[in-house]
Amino acid sequence: MSKASQLRQKAQVFLQKGKTDKAIEEYKKLLTIEARNPNLYNELGDIYLRSNDRVQAVSAFEKASLNYEKVALYNNAVAVCKKILRIVPNRLDTIYKLGEIKAKQKILGEAESYFSQYFDAVVTDSEGNAEGVQGKVETILLLVPDCEGIWSKASDVFNHIGIKSRAAEILARLITRNAISGDPQRLNFYRSRLDLLKQALKREELEKVEKIITGHDGTDAQGVSKTAGTHETPVSAGVPGAVVPAAGASGKKTAPPAAAGGPSSGTKVVSGEGISLTDYASDMSGEGTPADRRMHAGEIQDGKSAVDGVDVETSSGVGAREDVLASESGGGDVEATECGVSPSEDLSDLLDEEDAQIENESSIKNLAEEITSDVEEDDFRSHYDLGMAYIEMGLFADAVKELQISARSEQLQLQSLEMVGHCFISMSNPRLAVKQLERGLEISQISGGDSMGIHYNLGLAYEALDDMDKAREHYEEVYIVDVTFRDISDKMKKFSTVS
């Protein structure tokens, strides 16, 4: 038995005897061996809670969340954040972190909801930290650039923390947009707010605001630079005048791991054209968000996190140690999408970027393997967690190996088979997907487990095999239970059109 396993076993013996202080000491020794293992921090946080040390529990849970996020185990990170909020409700840093993680998962409806909650909490906090809040607000505007409601609240926050010129600039952008879209009610609303702010602005700040409204600030109504022939690429109209270098312009680009089923989250990039806002009414009504919330491949269909005993649907999670969060969450994961390369540009820059991305993904894979490098063969939960991390990184063959091991566990068998099926679909092997998913369906019928995800993936697999009758059959099984599940409504519309 390895030293780490011996320490863990010793800690469990102390816990059974109620000696939490001794168990904590063993976990501290464990962390000198596996300092980046999020599972250990999560377990240590639980032990601190048992000993009523809420401060240390929060600190341990925050480290667990950050390390889960590093290896793309976003569901686990979310679940641990919610644990923290059960200890310290309405903790600003954790609410912000939940929004940031959801944005990385491209579950933008939930990201906007958390960011809106964060803004509301800041405005009602009479002791707001202007320095920390300012950076987070700017990052939020980059992560969800197409929600007018978020911009409006961002202006309120800047006004609240005393950065009135920034608040006025955002309102000026909103006025320009609504002057074009022709919504007089919202236009007058933003104008009245700006009129109140103008009283506190300096002359040069007023001039800048007026230039934005009249279009003489060097950008169009979208906040996009009018300068032609440059390599500057607008990040977001929500951040007036903000630009980042286009691909190939600087030779540097942040490259976080891609989530399963799509590219890594990043800002929208346009070259010489405006960035169109998602329709305001749609944003405010939340249209489309139920599907968004379940589209991400890493989401476990029964709503449970991969963290033992944590219900992802509960409304809690927190953090301590602002110094750690500040270094980890300062917007560094925001990525500019490539816009293409002109013949005059040096291709070596893009090759360097590609090498950097490969190196980054390799580093994350090595970290994920390190977390379970000392895992016993029958530690099925850790194998499942590693499989889910590989799915997040798009490493489906590696994920299958781990999920096949975790499928030996009765507790994890159903969801493991479901995700193995998803992997085979992603690897363009729908026949193998059908075999795994049909096996999972048989198990769910015996155990009474949730089978919606299995039916949905079977629909995808049969659709890929061009067996539309069977695909429709499985989609219907999902539709009659939950019409908001992923894009099932669109699937059913497609089949009704065909028939």
Side-chain angles (χ1 to χ4, degrees):
M1 183 181 293
S2 67
K3 183 178 179 181
S5 296
Q6 290 174 4
L7 290 170
R8 187 190 289 268
Q9 190 176 73
K10 193 174 179 180
Q12 294 303 315
V13 171
F14 282 131
L15 285 174
Q16 290 170 6
K17 294 179 179 180
K19 298 180 179 180
T20 55
D21 55 336
K22 297 288 187 181
I24 288 169
E25 290 304 316
E26 297 305 315
Y27 266 87
K28 287 181 178 179
K29 294 176 186 176
L30 256 175
L31 286 167
T32 63
I33 301 172
E34 300 179 18
R36 297 189 292 178
N37 187 335
N39 296 328
L40 294 180
Y41 287 111
N42 184 38
E43 293 164 13
L44 180 58
D46 288 332
I47 298 172
Y48 275 124
L49 274 185
R50 287 178 60 173
S51 61
N52 294 317
D53 191 337
R54 294 156 63 89
V55 173
Q56 290 299 325
V58 165
S59 178
F61 286 142
E62 185 170 66
K63 290 174 184 175
S65 177
L66 289 171
N67 281 286
Y68 278 131
E69 188 180 358
K70 285 179 182 177
V71 292
L73 281 171
Y74 297 125
N75 291 331
N76 295 46
V78 166
V80 176
C81 281
K82 290 180 177 181
K83 274 188 175 183
I84 301 172
L85 286 179
R86 284 198 286 268
I87 303 170
V88 187
N90 298 320
R91 189 176 191 280
L92 290 180
D93 281 346
T94 305
I95 295 169
Y96 166 81
K97 175 56 69 175
L98 283 166
E100 186 181 46
I101 294 171
K102 289 297 180 181
K104 287 181 179 180
Q105 290 182 288
K106 292 189 174 295
I107 308 176
L108 296 184
E110 290 189 28
E112 290 165 5
S113 177
Y114 281 121
F115 287 145
S116 179
Q117 183 182 348
Y118 172 78
F119 286 156
D120 291 341
V122 170
V123 171
T124 57
D125 180 12
S126 59
E127 300 179 359
N129 179 356
E131 182 179 354
V133 170
Q134 181 180 4
K136 287 183 172 65
V137 176
E138 297 291 6
T139 300
I140 289 170
L141 292 175
L142 293 174
L143 290 172
V144 284
D146 289 337
C147 181
E148 186 172 335
I150 290 293
W151 297 348
S152 180
K153 287 193 174 187
S155 176
D156 289 336
V157 171
F158 280 123
N159 185 26
H160 174 72
I161 63 178
I163 309 178
K164 298 185 183 298
S165 60
R166 190 73 177 88
E169 288 174 18
I170 292 175
L171 288 174
R173 296 290 182 201
L174 293 172
I175 288 170
T176 305
R177 286 183 181 278
N178 282 281
I180 294 174
S181 65
D183 189 324
Q185 186 174 358
R186 291 207 306 275
L187 184 61
N188 290 333
F189 172 66
Y190 293 133
R191 279 176 173 167
S192 63
R193 286 172 59 186
L194 181 58
D195 286 342
L196 291 174
L197 274 174
K198 283 181 176 180
Q199 301 172 25
L201 299 183
K202 299 176 182 178
R203 180 177 178 180
E204 59 269 22
E205 294 170 341
L206 284 170
E207 290 176 352
K208 185 174 182 180
V209 168
E210 289 303 320
K211 285 181 179 179
I212 291 172
I213 294 174
T214 59
H216 293 106
D217 66 325
T219 67
D220 62 16
Q222 308 290 339
V224 178
S225 174
K226 293 179 181 178
T227 306
T230 72
H231 290 304
E232 288 187 330
T233 309
V235 174
S236 166
V239 187
V243 295
V244 295
S250 69
K252 296 181 180 180
K253 183 182 71 170
T254 303
S264 55
S265 68
T267 58
K268 290 193 175 182
V269 176
V270 192
S271 182
E273 297 178 1
I275 304 173
S276 62
L277 269 176
T278 304
D279 181 73
Y280 180 84
S282 174
D283 276 340
M284 294 299 100
S285 67
E287 180 181 336
T289 55
D292 288 342
R293 292 170 184 170
R294 308 183 91 152
M295 276 298 292
H296 190 262
E299 290 286 341
I300 300 171
Q301 308 310 331
D302 62 359
K304 303 292 183 182
S305 163
V307 180
D308 282 325
V310 181
D311 186 343
V312 175
E313 296 303 325
T314 56
S315 57
S316 300
V318 184
R321 313 249 341 181
E322 282 81 355
D323 55 334
V324 176
L325 265 179
S327 65
E328 294 292 337
S329 64
D333 281 334
V334 178
E335 177 191 11
T337 308
E338 291 183 11
C339 299
V341 187
S342 68
S344 62
E345 291 176 337
D346 187 355
L347 288 176
S348 63
D349 286 338
L350 288 183
L351 291 174
D352 289 342
E353 292 170 7
E354 185 178 348
D355 289 341
Q357 181 168 351
I358 292 171
E359 182 179 350
N360 187 54
E361 291 179 356
S362 176
S363 169
I364 293 173
K365 180 179 177 181
N366 291 338
L367 177 55
E369 289 174 336
E370 179 183 322
I371 288 173
T372 55
S373 61
D374 198 37
V375 171
E376 303 295 330
E377 181 70 10
D378 60 353
D379 187 352
F380 301 121
R381 173 62 66 181
S382 292
H383 285 292
Y384 179 85
D385 288 349
L386 184 55
M388 295 302 294
Y390 283 147
I391 287 176
E392 296 280 1
M393 291 184 278
L395 303 171
F396 300 112
D398 293 301
V400 168
K401 294 175 185 177
E402 300 301 325
L403 293 167
Q404 285 174 338
I405 296 174
S406 64
R408 300 172 195 165
S409 162
E410 287 187 14
Q411 181 185 2
L412 298 169
Q413 186 176 37
L414 191 58
Q415 61 207 59
S416 295
L417 291 174
E418 178 184 333
M419 298 316 295
V420 169
H422 164 78
C423 289
F424 282 132
I425 292 171
S426 300
M427 294 162 67
S428 301
N429 200 333
R431 292 190 184 279
L432 287 182
V434 167
K435 289 183 178 180
Q436 292 293 308
L437 293 166
E438 290 286 3
R439 182 183 165 205
L441 192 58
E442 290 175 5
I443 293 170
S444 71
Q445 290 169 348
I446 295 171
S447 65
D450 184 5
S451 61
M452 278 202 300
I454 292 176
H455 277 298
Y456 181 86
N457 281 315
L458 276 168
L460 292 177
Y462 279 120
E463 196 171 356
L465 291 169
D466 205 28
D467 190 339
M468 296 306 173
D469 289 337
K470 286 188 177 179
R472 182 206 299 265
E473 178 184 330
H474 288 289
Y475 286 144
E476 286 176 349
E477 290 294 329
V478 177
Y479 189 77
I480 61 176
V481 176
D482 185 356
V483 297
T484 67
F485 188 87
R486 303 194 193 179
D487 60 343
I488 194 63
S489 294
D490 293 335
K491 292 287 187 185
M492 294 308 297
K493 287 177 183 177
K494 171 185 173 183
F495 276 93
S496 64
T497 302
V498 171
S499 59

